[in-house]
Amino acid sequence: STLNMGFLNYPISQTSDIVLLGGELVPVGIDQLPILEFGNDLIDRFHHSFNCNIFKKIKPFLSENSKLVGIDGDKKMSKSLNNAIFLSDDEATVGKKVYQMYTDPSHIKVSDPGKVEGNVVFQFLDVFHSDKEEVEALKEHYKKGGLGDVFLKKLLTKDLNHLLEPIRQKRASFHEQELRDILSHGTSFTRNIAKDNMSKIKEIIFK
């Protein structure tokens, strides 16, 4: 197959954003680990080529759950695949998306035994339901039969909306100008750091 320039340019661009600001610990999902590894290769090559040690090695900062499967059971949530729940989703939208989640297609009746493996609802409950013992009990009940998908989806919807409600309230509390001011301050702050580091990089390259 033919590789396009994006496979090279994207990780170079990502690495530039990190090292230009003196970044070291980078919050990423596990799918981004190869890019950080590529970035460290670039750093090593630069240090070797210019006989210096200006950049810090970059390290991943992973959460306990570094990747969420898509609501359709695909490998991961993705905006482009339209299989994601967003922090900006309202209660009704969250409920609608949860009810679209892939479960066990053979679990037709409530009385039917169901499969936990590959069941997206249970994967989300593992992450977002606070009572882990309850989740394990629900799994056993589901496997034996007598537990419906609707009950589980209602429980998950409640958990997700409980998590997202403070975020919704915070988003609603901001005014447009306030957000513009925050972006402007952040841009100015990072621009000064980047400008200073870029001067040091140029000194090394053109000395």
Side-chain angles (χ1 to χ4, degrees):
S1 62
T2 303
L3 298 179
N4 60 48
M5 281 301 295
F7 283 96
L8 178 62
N9 289 345
Y10 180 74
I12 289 176
S13 174
Q14 293 290 88
T15 303
S16 299
D17 288 340
I18 296 167
V19 301
L20 194 55
L21 296 176
E24 182 176 12
L25 196 61
V26 187
V28 292
I30 56 175
D31 57 317
Q32 297 287 304
L33 293 181
I35 291 179
L36 297 194
E37 184 177 349
F38 180 89
N40 280 323
D41 288 340
L42 286 177
I43 290 171
D44 286 340
R45 180 62 63 89
F46 186 92
H47 287 168
H48 176 75
S49 298
F50 295 100
N51 191 28
C52 66
N53 190 31
I54 187 174
F55 301 127
K56 301 173 183 176
K57 283 295 191 74
I58 50 181
K59 304 171 186 175
F61 179 73
L62 299 171
S63 68
E64 292 182 7
N65 305 284
S66 50
K67 184 171 73 173
L68 281 173
V69 67
I71 62 175
D72 56 357
D74 203 356
K75 294 179 181 178
K76 70 169 185 174
M77 281 192 174
S78 169
K79 185 176 182 180
S80 60
L81 295 176
N82 195 30
N83 66 350
I85 294 174
F86 303 114
L87 298 179
S88 57
D89 285 343
D90 59 27
E91 287 191 24
T93 301
V94 170
K96 182 179 179 180
K97 289 182 176 180
V98 170
Y99 273 76
Q100 294 172 356
M101 279 186 174
Y102 182 86
T103 53
D104 175 8
S106 63
H107 187 248
I108 300 172
K109 299 177 181 177
V110 172
S111 57
D112 292 337
K115 293 180 180 178
V116 171
E117 296 77 13
N119 190 314
V120 176
V121 176
F122 274 116
Q123 291 183 48
F124 272 69
L125 286 172
D126 279 335
V127 175
F128 296 108
H129 193 65
S130 58
D131 190 337
K132 304 306 179 186
E133 291 184 3
E134 183 181 3
V135 174
E136 293 306 312
L138 290 171
K139 288 179 181 178
E140 292 304 314
H141 191 174
Y142 192 78
K143 288 188 283 187
K144 292 176 182 177
L147 181 60
D149 292 328
V150 172
F151 174 86
L152 295 172
K153 289 180 177 181
K154 284 183 177 179
L155 179 62
L156 177 58
T157 298
K158 181 179 178 181
D159 287 337
L160 292 177
N161 278 321
H162 178 74
L163 173 72
L164 294 175
E165 185 55 29
I167 299 174
R168 296 186 190 115
Q169 292 179 7
K170 188 67 174 179
R171 287 170 64 95
S173 71
F174 284 114
H175 300 292
E176 182 178 346
Q177 187 56 52
E178 191 175 2
L179 293 173
R180 290 184 181 277
D181 290 342
I182 292 171
L183 289 172
S184 177
H185 173 75
T187 300
S188 176
F189 178 77
T190 54
R191 182 181 286 126
N192 289 334
I193 296 174
K195 184 178 179 181
D196 182 56
N197 285 335
M198 198 66 209
S199 296
K200 295 175 182 177
I201 292 168
K202 287 180 178 179
E203 281 183 26
I204 291 171
I205 294 176
F206 299 112
K207 65 180 179 181

